[in-house]
Amino acid sequence: MVHGLKVAPAYAAPALLLSLLVRFDLPSPVPGISTGTITIRPSPSSALLWPLLLGAAAGAAGGLASARPILREGPGGGRTVAAALAGGWTMLVAALGLAFGGLLIHAAVSPRATAAYLRAVGSGGPERAAVALMHHLLVLPNQSLLVVAPAMGGCDGVYGSGFSVDLLCLTRFPVGVDLGGAEAPLRWPLAIPSLRTRPTPTPYLLFLLVPAVSAALGGRAAARRVATSSEALAAGALAGVVFAALFGAAVRLGSLRLGVAADLGGFGGGGGFAFGPEPLSTSLLALAWGTVGGALGALPGSRRLAASSGPLPSPAAQAQRGPEER
């Protein structure tokens, strides 16, 4: 595990160097109100710290993976931790995969929406369509995160300094944006649009199966890697803790974050916002789904291990055995 951490600096250094070279300058999007250019560039500190953390986490995970045989043959505590790590990872992968599968089913049963998407993608010609589809493939994990969070009871939204707007929740479904009347474009960007929502249609509640099934699969995977009934239940519940940590990290990394700094007449200011699930509440929901679902998923394996080990003989039966039988 310690040797695995050594890859982190070598992984982070190129990311930092590339962040110093990438920069885009765009004209002001509001002519007549503001002048000058907008500069878009990566944050050097984030370009260093996040790859460093990712490299350290991936290196440590690789070190633990190489030590799995030792952990499995070692004492129960190490075996339980290894099983919980495997179960938590199974929960995350299953949740993202099931969310994507649910979207594919939705596309199949909603041909009008699918046709509208394909028309929009192909409107610019085959070359632009290929580029758009490739970019969509790259963000499929992010898309699945945006599905799993509401399925667990959370919300996707836009969150910034002093404001928050929930866009998609388990019980609320967006249907449009109210710009505040015909005069709103004249007052932009001071006008604040509002989101029109309606109760979530009943068929969409089937997405509740995504966290339920993924948590059960993770608990089952954890229970298969231990030797006793009590270890199976503990590993299934601990897998939920691992799942919550992994999902919280995925939300933090998978959300779109934008920082803004401006200088107007010598007065500077700035702020930022993020688009995606709210990290803290979503992590707590993942913890609840993971621990309960993981324990329930590990229950059949726990019972199977208890049955295979059999009941312990009573003291009277042990006393009746001969020395050679003991």
Side-chain angles (χ1 to χ4, degrees):
M1 178 177 175
V2 176
H3 291 292
L5 295 174
K6 296 178 181 179
V7 304
Y11 179 71
L16 173 62
L17 294 176
L18 289 175
S19 71
L20 300 176
L21 301 176
V22 177
R23 171 174 172 163
F24 301 95
D25 292 322
L26 303 175
S28 171
V30 192
I33 297 179
S34 64
T35 59
T37 60
I38 296 177
T39 299
I40 301 176
R41 62 185 180 186
S43 169
S45 59
S46 297
L48 173 64
L49 293 178
W50 282 113
L52 191 65
L53 291 175
L54 285 173
L64 285 174
S66 64
R68 278 186 300 180
I70 301 176
L71 292 174
R72 289 178 180 176
E73 297 174 1
R79 187 167 54 236
T80 302
V81 170
L85 291 173
W89 176 253
T90 301
M91 289 182 188
L92 179 65
V93 174
L96 298 180
L98 290 173
F100 178 62
L103 289 178
L104 290 180
I105 295 174
H106 178 270
V109 300
S110 303
R112 295 178 60 183
T114 305
Y117 167 77
L118 294 176
R119 284 195 301 269
V121 170
S123 60
E127 293 183 357
R128 291 190 177 183
V131 172
L133 289 175
M134 184 60 65
H135 281 82
H136 195 172
L137 288 175
L138 292 174
V139 298
L140 283 180
N142 307 64
Q143 175 182 280
S144 294
L145 283 175
L146 296 175
V147 174
V148 177
M152 292 192 300
C155 291
D156 298 329
V158 180
Y159 308 102
S161 304
F163 74 94
S164 64
V165 179
D166 293 331
L167 301 178
L168 176 63
C169 302
L170 178 63
T171 57
R172 298 193 302 275
F173 201 79
V175 294
V177 177
D178 186 4
L179 297 178
E183 73 282 359
L186 301 178
R187 295 185 286 110
W188 194 89
L190 300 178
I192 300 177
S194 60
L195 184 69
R196 297 196 306 272
T197 62
R198 63 169 178 169
T200 301
T202 302
Y204 286 92
L205 296 179
L206 290 174
F207 277 97
L208 285 168
L209 293 174
V210 170
V213 174
S214 60
L217 290 175
R220 179 176 178 270
R224 294 173 59 185
R225 289 169 167 80
V226 294
T228 66
S229 173
S230 59
E231 287 180 359
L233 291 177
L238 286 175
V241 179
V242 176
F243 170 61
L246 291 175
F247 195 83
V251 166
R252 181 61 179 83
L253 294 173
S255 299
L256 175 63
R257 297 180 177 273
L258 181 64
V260 179
D263 186 359
L264 300 175
F267 295 94
F273 67 89
F275 168 70
E278 202 284 318
L280 179 58
S281 61
T282 305
S283 298
L284 294 176
L285 288 168
L287 179 64
W289 280 97
T291 52
V292 176
L296 292 176
L299 189 58
S302 174
R303 290 176 175 174
R304 184 170 57 253
L305 289 171
S308 62
S309 61
L312 293 176
S314 63
Q318 292 182 359
Q320 292 176 358
R321 291 181 178 179
E324 66 281 356
E325 294 178 342
R326 298 179 188 176

